[in-house]
């Protein structure tokens, strides 16, 4: 099962692939998955629906429910409850830092270029995920903690000003903020991949430690130093950062 918040066309571009694209559309394992794809742009969501319909038989998710909606911290739990009730099994008494969670997900992806951490926090109060892909603000290195928070009426203002072609320095949250927040929710940093930080539920940590031959917790400073540098302005040399 999966929830993809900011799914776009469910593929992305060569500069930023959707984290679930390869699994859902280029692997036979994808045919066993069901989930929700939240997206605010109707044309992008339609492209996602068409991608599922036109996918090679055997290389598509069993069920992908498209949801045209602007997800923010104020409506995240309600949207997940409303749309997820017919998709996800109810598992009461989940273990870990959030015993109130009523469903287990395999994957949660949050990439909305705004209040990503705040939305992830709300989603994880309603459903506990095994693996979380969270886009972070790479321009803010450890140990600085920063997060763009949501305010009443802020969604409309943000949408009016936001352009996908224009980088907004205050979007998302920093790696250190994400690590601290996710630790409080019962998650460990696994690694960084492109512009995403990948976290795993602490109760599953031994599985990943054995698979990757390391021990949690990861050093966020080392992860950041060894990650790929993302430069959003072609006129800004990497040496300036």
């Amino acid at each position: 099962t999966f929830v993809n918040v900011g799914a776009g066309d469910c593929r992305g571009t060569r500069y930023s692939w959707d984290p679930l694209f390869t699994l859902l559309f280029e692997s036979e394992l994808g045919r066993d998955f069901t989930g929700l794809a939240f997206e605010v742009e109707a044309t992008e969501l339609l492209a996602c629906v068409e991608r599922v319909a036109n996918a090679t038989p055997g290389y598509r998710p069993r069920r992908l429910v498209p949801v045209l909606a602007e997800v923010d911290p104020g409506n995240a739990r309600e949207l997940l409850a409303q749309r997820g009730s017919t998709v996800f099994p109810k598992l009461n008494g989940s273990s870990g830092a959030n015993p109130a969670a009523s469903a287990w997900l395999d994957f949660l992806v949050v990439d909305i270029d705004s209040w990503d951490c705040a939305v992830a926090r709300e989603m994880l109060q309603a459903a506990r995920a095994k693996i979380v892909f969270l886009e972070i603000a790479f321009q803010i290195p450890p140990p600085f903690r920063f997060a763009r928070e949501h305010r009443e009426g802020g969604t409309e203002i943000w949408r009016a000003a936001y352009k996908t072609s224009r980088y907004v320095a205050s979007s998302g949250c920093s790696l250190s903020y994400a690590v601290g927040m996710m630790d409080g929710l019962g998650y460990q940093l696994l690694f960084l991949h492109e512009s995403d930080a990948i976290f795993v539920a602490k109760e599953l940590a031994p599985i990943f430690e054995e698979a990757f031959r390391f021990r949690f917790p990861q050093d966020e400073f080392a992860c950041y130093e060894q990650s790929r540098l993302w430069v959003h302005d072609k006129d800004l040399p990497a040496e300036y950062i």
Side-chain angles (χ1 to χ4, degrees), residues 21-101:
F21 172 70
T22 299
L23 171 66
L24 297 181
F25 296 99
E26 294 187 344
S27 166
E28 292 184 355
L29 295 174
R31 63 189 179 188
D32 294 325
F33 280 83
T34 62
L36 303 174
F38 289 96
E39 174 55 40
V40 68
E41 298 291 347
T43 54
E44 291 283 289
L45 192 61
L46 178 59
C48 175
V49 172
E50 292 176 345
R51 190 175 309 283
V52 175
N54 297 328
T56 303
Y59 290 85
R60 70 181 70 179
R62 178 187 302 169
R63 185 182 181 197
L64 184 149
V65 178
V67 182
L68 183 64
E70 179 90 55
V71 182
D72 62 46
N75 64 17
R77 292 197 211 184
E78 181 180 2
L79 284 172
L80 183 57
Q82 290 177 346
R83 302 294 184 162
S85 60
T86 60
V87 179
F88 308 123
K90 297 292 183 181
L91 300 180
N92 294 320
S94 63
S95 59
N98 182 17

Side-chain angles (χ1 to χ4, degrees), residues 208-235:
F208 290 91
E209 289 179 331
E210 181 177 354
F212 290 94
R213 299 183 181 279
F214 74 98
R215 286 292 179 265
F216 287 113
Q218 292 277 55
D219 184 336
E220 65 195 76
F221 288 83
C223 287
Y224 188 87
E225 290 174 353
Q226 297 169 20
S227 65
R228 175 180 294 180
L229 177 63
W230 287 83
V231 179
H232 295 266
D233 189 335
K234 65 180 180 180
D235 297 321

Side-chain angles (χ1 to χ4, degrees), residues 1-203:
T1 56
F2 63 89
V3 171
N4 193 344
V5 184
D9 65 358
C10 295
R11 181 177 185 270
T13 69
R14 65 188 181 93
Y15 299 106
S16 181
W17 296 111
D18 184 277
L20 298 182
F21 172 70
T22 299
L23 171 66
L24 297 181
F25 296 99
E26 294 187 344
S27 166
E28 292 184 355
L29 295 174
R31 63 189 179 188
D32 294 325
F33 280 83
T34 62
L36 303 174
F38 289 96
E39 174 55 40
V40 68
E41 298 291 347
T43 54
E44 291 283 289
L45 192 61
L46 178 59
C48 175
V49 172
E50 292 176 345
R51 190 175 309 283
V52 175
N54 297 328
T56 303
Y59 290 85
R60 70 181 70 179
R62 178 187 302 169
R63 185 182 181 197
L64 184 149
V65 178
V67 182
L68 183 64
E70 179 90 55
V71 182
D72 62 46
N75 64 17
R77 292 197 211 184
E78 181 180 2
L79 284 172
L80 183 57
Q82 290 177 346
R83 302 294 184 162
S85 60
T86 60
V87 179
F88 308 123
K90 297 292 183 181
L91 300 180
N92 294 320
S94 63
S95 59
N98 182 17
S102 60
W104 268 97
L105 307 174
D106 291 300
F107 299 100
L108 170 65
V109 178
V110 181
D111 178 1
I112 54 176
D113 298 337
S114 54
W115 22 81
D116 300 55
C117 270
V119 166
R121 183 174 59 236
E122 292 301 317
M123 286 280 183
L124 292 172
Q125 297 298 322
R128 188 150 177 81
K130 298 174 183 176
I131 301 175
V132 179
F133 289 81
L134 180 58
E135 187 177 52
I136 61 171
F138 256 92
Q139 73 277 9
I140 305 176
F144 300 106
R145 295 191 175 194
F146 167 84
R148 186 181 187 94
E149 293 291 349
H150 181 262
R151 66 180 176 84
E152 192 69 28
T155 299
E156 291 75 15
I157 297 173
W158 175 263
R159 178 54 51 191
Y162 178 75
K163 300 290 186 296
T164 57
S165 60
R166 179 184 301 168
Y167 177 66
V168 180
S170 64
S171 65
C173 59
S174 67
L175 175 60
S176 289
Y177 182 95
V179 169
M181 182 192 79
M182 295 297 286
D183 179 65
L185 292 170
Y187 290 85
Q188 298 270 20
L189 174 66
L190 181 60
F191 54 73
L192 301 180
H193 178 66
E194 296 185 348
S195 59
D196 295 322
I198 291 83
F199 296 89
V200 298
K202 287 183 178 179
E203 50 266 59

